Amino acid sequence: TLPELDKEGYYMTVGDYVEIKAYEVTGAFFGTRSVLQALKASDDGASIAKGVARDYPKYEQRGFMIDVARKFYTLEFLQDYIKLMSWYKLNTFSIHLNDNGFASYFGGDWSKTYDAFRLESDVYPGLTATDGSYTKEEFRDLQYLALDYGVEIIPEIDTPAHSLSFTKFDNKLYNPAYDWDHIDVTNPYAYEFMEKLF
């Protein structure tokens, strides 16, 4: 056994056929990505050089972050991105689910500053953005799809800053000592609100 293979590494032997061996499913799956890449790179699109390979990642976390709050992306786009990430053996997909613009771009007026929270919320109906969002079931299914492709989704809910969606929704979270996109961390109610949301 080779400890460096861990869960994402694999052995590949190419002779009359291709054999992939791995300690875990993710390693075997990433091996199939290498086979497809080799086929794509071959002159005829149908052959792979014979030999033996041992492949494993140098870095444990290899990822990408997308901000769906400031610019909404469809579920189909995110699904395609998971497959693209898997092709390059990236394993961490951070999805930034809430944020807002800068008031300076909206005439200094926080009430006109763009903000969005992209997840369905049963606890706080009305918090979810109306110009694009994901149901809990859709987002859960997206996470399952990602796991099938060797990618872990990290859902990011930003707070105490970047929180204009929350302070607009419930102004008890706002403290005049801060900008509107900051939750008042001195207020115990803010902790109750966020705990329920999480």
Side-chain angles (χ1 to χ4, degrees):
T1 64
L2 293 171
E4 68 266 22
L5 290 187
D6 200 26
K7 68 178 187 174
E8 295 182 341
Y10 60 91
Y11 296 103
M12 181 169 65
T13 304
V14 181
D16 294 334
Y17 60 91
V18 176
E19 178 182 49
I20 297 170
K21 291 182 180 179
Y23 296 128
E24 300 213 11
V25 172
T26 302
F29 182 77
F30 282 164
T32 67
R33 304 302 86 186
S34 292
V35 170
L36 292 173
Q37 290 165 358
L39 287 169
K40 185 176 175 75
S42 69
D43 291 336
D44 62 3
S47 60
I48 302 175
K50 292 184 178 183
V52 177
R54 179 184 67 189
D55 186 24
Y56 54 91
K58 182 175 180 179
Y59 301 102
E60 183 178 341
Q61 193 172 60
R62 304 164 315 279
F64 180 78
M65 189 274 280
I66 192 166
D67 183 349
V68 300
R70 290 186 179 117
K71 182 189 180 335
F72 178 70
Y73 292 91
T74 66
L75 201 59
E76 294 76 18
F77 179 90
L78 298 179
Q79 291 164 346
D80 288 345
Y81 226 90
I82 287 166
K83 295 170 188 174
L84 177 68
M85 290 177 66
S86 177
W87 175 262
Y88 292 105
K89 300 180 184 124
L90 298 175
N91 65 359
T92 307
F93 191 14
S94 297
I95 302 179
H96 193 64
L97 294 164
N98 71 287
D99 215 321
N100 50 266
F102 298 96
S104 58
Y105 292 104
F106 295 86
D109 187 344
W110 284 108
S111 69
K112 294 179 181 172
T113 300
Y114 184 78
D115 68 276
F117 177 75
R118 300 292 183 194
L119 278 182
E120 171 187 35
S121 175
D122 295 333
V123 179
Y124 300 115
L127 176 61
T128 305
T130 58
D131 64 340
S133 64
Y134 315 108
T135 67
K136 288 190 284 186
E137 183 179 3
E138 287 171 337
F139 203 78
R140 191 175 299 115
D141 288 345
L142 185 71
Q143 292 176 52
Y144 289 141
L145 173 75
L147 290 174
D148 287 345
Y149 279 85
V151 177
E152 178 187 10
I153 290 180
I154 299 175
E156 295 180 9
I157 297 177
D158 226 351
T159 188
H162 306 267
S163 297
L164 186 60
S165 295
F166 308 139
T167 58
K168 277 185 177 178
F169 178 77
D170 187 338
N171 60 19
K172 292 192 295 283
L173 299 168
Y174 170 68
N175 181 331
Y178 308 109
D179 285 331
W180 267 95
D181 65 341
H182 287 66
I183 288 177
D184 180 7
V185 295
T186 66
N187 183 352
Y189 175 74
Y191 293 90
E192 294 171 25
F193 179 95
M194 293 310 302
E195 189 173 316
K196 286 179 185 175
L197 180 66
F198 289 146

